[in-house]
Amino acid sequence: MTTKAATTRATILERAVDVASVEGLEGLTIGRLASELRMSKSGLFAHFGSKEELQLATIEAAAARFLREVIAPAQREPEGAARLRAYCEGYLDYLQRKVFAGGCFWAAAAAEFDDRPGPVRDAVRAGVLGWMGELEHQARIAGVGDAAELAFEAYSLGLGANTCWRLFADERGFKRARAAIERRLAELSMPPVAHGLGA
Amino acid sequence: MTTKAATTRATILERAVDVASVEGLEGLTIGRLASELRMSKSGLFAHFGSKEELQLATIEAAAARFLREVIAPAQREPEGAARLRAYCEGYLDYLQRKVFAGGCFWAAAAAEFDDRPGPVRDAVRAGVLGWMGELEHQARIAGVGDAAELAFEAYSLGLGANTCWRLFADERGFKRARAAIERRLAELSMPPVAHGLGA
DNA sequence: CCTACCGATCGGTAGG
DNA sequence: CCTACCGATCGGTAGG
């Protein structure tokens, strides 16, 4: 039954996403994944046809999980500043909730493939671009002058919090990222003239 | 001669650092490194004794390069705000100058090993901690209230610029990181009372 | 989805 | 620093 095959495929990919978030998309080996799932290597392999296709399918599954856990909940907030804040909060929450076993899947995949041209890099790029695009879009709606600048800052603070937490087991990165974002958002409600003070 | 062996070892490690910044410390294989350097695998291997020792030596060599290219030049500036700014500028410069073939060695190594306990992770941790510690130390001397917060922000913006540059070939991250840091440093010269406005 | 197998490459060793 | 080799694992295939 094609339904059963689809279920098996989904089971494989849920595990693949967590393995890849810890060991990387290259460290995600077919043999290891198969033995963890108590399947034969070739049985698992048949669902994808090549390691690259497995990597691409894993990225797709990670995107679906990120959408479900971070993007969609924030979309209950009205567009603009409220949704932008919800994205930032939601991202930090998603790290703390360990939605992926090894911290942010995208941060790991981006660092791993950012210098290796090919379909895998393109897929990672599309995922990260989508996230940064959402941040920028909401910043623009919120009336931020340089929305791309704010999106870059929010994105960067998320990366920093992820590194602090995974590398140092230091949860203070979450608080620090929140503080930086809140300070930045607070500035937005200041009258434009106030911005000239320090310049 | 022990001198010749040391020279060979240094040559190996210079290459290893660049390979690792692109392919990762796990993707740094002894066979590949040997063939690139036109050495036998076992000849290269003999310098280190295990792959883990090669990885640790590679991290050491990367630390020396980072010290030479980023830390040391900034240390010509007086301690405090000037040196903090020099660290940030120097870091962004070092990315643009392609001091490592694959962008920031530390960003790549941290993402790769942040979930894998062991000596390699410990060494990466020590390197990143040293960098963040420098930032925090100078922020403290500059009289910043929450020096750790500022160090976290500066560190994060560097990570973000690195990702933009490597993943998207987007140089605007450098400008954006500089803008964010300059805005933040500009706030520091404002009278304390001004900080209360947005709170 | 399985067993059985392929060539290539991995980290590492023996012996010089 | 070399040649020659080891067992294990890699991605992938044949055939069912």
Side-chain angles (χ1 to χ4, degrees):
Chain A
M1 261 129 244
T2 186
T3 303
K4 191 177 174 191
T7 304
T8 304
R9 194 185 137 103
T11 303
I12 293 167
L13 289 174
E14 286 306 299
R15 180 68 68 103
V17 153
D18 283 315
V19 170
S21 78
V22 173
E23 309 282 342
L25 281 161
E26 210 59 60
L28 174 72
T29 70
I30 295 162
R32 181 194 156 165
L33 196 54
S35 89
E36 280 190 18
L37 292 163
R38 267 178 265 276
M39 285 177 65
S40 69
K41 238 178 63 176
S42 65
L44 190 149
F45 184 84
H47 283 275
F48 305 99
S50 74
K51 174 157 187 182
E52 189 171 277
E53 287 301 324
L54 168 63
Q55 290 172 324
L56 292 171
T58 300
I59 291 167
E60 242 181 84
R65 201 187 287 186
F66 191 82
L67 183 70
R68 170 167 40 89
E69 298 291 337
V70 181
I71 306 274
Q75 285 177 339
R76 291 194 295 251
E77 296 293 329
E79 292 207 278
R83 190 175 296 179
L84 177 60
R85 180 178 272 114
Y87 279 147
C88 294
E89 282 294 328
Y91 179 82
L92 296 170
D93 252 35
Y94 129 101
L95 295 178
Q96 277 183 297
R97 282 189 291 126
K98 292 189 152 224
V99 167
F100 294 110
C104 183
F105 176 92
W106 301 99
E112 187 179 7
F113 275 89
D114 61 2
D115 293 306
R116 304 192 217 176
V120 175
R121 176 185 149 144
D122 294 344
V124 172
R125 204 197 297 235
V128 176
L129 197 61
W131 171 237
M132 291 189 74
E134 284 287 339
L135 294 173
E136 185 176 337
H137 184 57
Q138 297 309 320
R140 184 155 291 125
I141 291 173
V144 178
D146 193 345
E149 170 76 31
L150 183 56
F152 170 81
E153 293 174 27
Y155 172 75
S156 298
L157 292 163
L159 271 189
N162 184 60
T163 297
C164 267
W165 196 44
R166 302 313 302 173
L167 188 60
F168 300 118
D170 185 350
E171 302 199 47
R172 289 173 300 179
F174 299 124
K175 192 192 67 196
R176 287 173 183 150
R178 284 194 181 92
I181 289 162
E182 285 304 322
R183 188 173 1 83
R184 194 67 163 82
L185 292 178
E187 286 173 18
L188 298 178
S189 54
M190 290 167 72
V193 65
H195 288 294
L197 281 180
Chain B
M1 259 131 240
T2 187
T3 303
K4 190 178 173 190
T7 303
T8 303
R9 194 186 135 102
T11 303
I12 293 167
L13 289 174
E14 287 306 299
R15 180 69 67 104
V17 153
D18 282 315
V19 171
S21 78
V22 172
E23 309 284 342
L25 282 161
E26 210 59 61
L28 175 71
T29 71
I30 295 163
R32 182 196 156 161
L33 196 53
S35 88
E36 280 190 17
L37 293 163
R38 268 177 264 276
M39 287 178 63
S40 69
K41 238 178 65 174
S42 64
L44 190 150
F45 185 84
H47 284 275
F48 306 99
S50 73
K51 173 156 188 182
E52 187 171 279
E53 287 300 324
L54 168 62
Q55 290 172 324
L56 293 171
T58 300
I59 291 167
E60 244 181 81
R65 199 186 288 186
F66 191 82
L67 183 69
R68 171 167 39 89
E69 299 288 337
V70 181
I71 307 275
Q75 285 177 338
R76 291 193 295 250
E77 297 293 328
E79 292 208 278
R83 191 175 296 181
L84 177 60
R85 180 177 272 113
Y87 279 147
C88 295
E89 282 294 330
Y91 179 82
L92 296 171
D93 253 33
Y94 129 100
L95 294 179
Q96 277 183 298
R97 283 189 292 126
K98 293 187 150 223
V99 168
F100 294 110
C104 182
F105 176 93
W106 302 99
E112 187 178 5
F113 275 89
D114 61 1
D115 293 307
R116 304 192 217 176
V120 175
R121 177 186 150 143
D122 294 345
V124 172
R125 206 197 297 235
V128 176
L129 197 61
W131 170 237
M132 291 189 75
E134 285 286 340
L135 295 174
E136 183 175 339
H137 184 56
Q138 297 308 320
R140 183 157 291 122
I141 290 173
V144 178
D146 191 345
E149 170 75 32
L150 183 57
F152 170 81
E153 292 175 27
Y155 172 75
S156 298
L157 291 163
L159 271 190
N162 183 60
T163 298
C164 270
W165 169 230
R166 303 312 304 173
L167 188 60
F168 300 117
D170 186 350
E171 302 197 48
R172 290 174 299 180
F174 299 124
K175 192 192 67 194
R176 286 172 184 151
R178 284 194 180 92
I181 289 162
E182 286 306 322
R183 188 174 359 85
R184 194 67 163 80
L185 292 177
E187 285 172 20
L188 298 177
S189 55
M190 288 168 73
V193 65
H195 288 294
L197 281 179

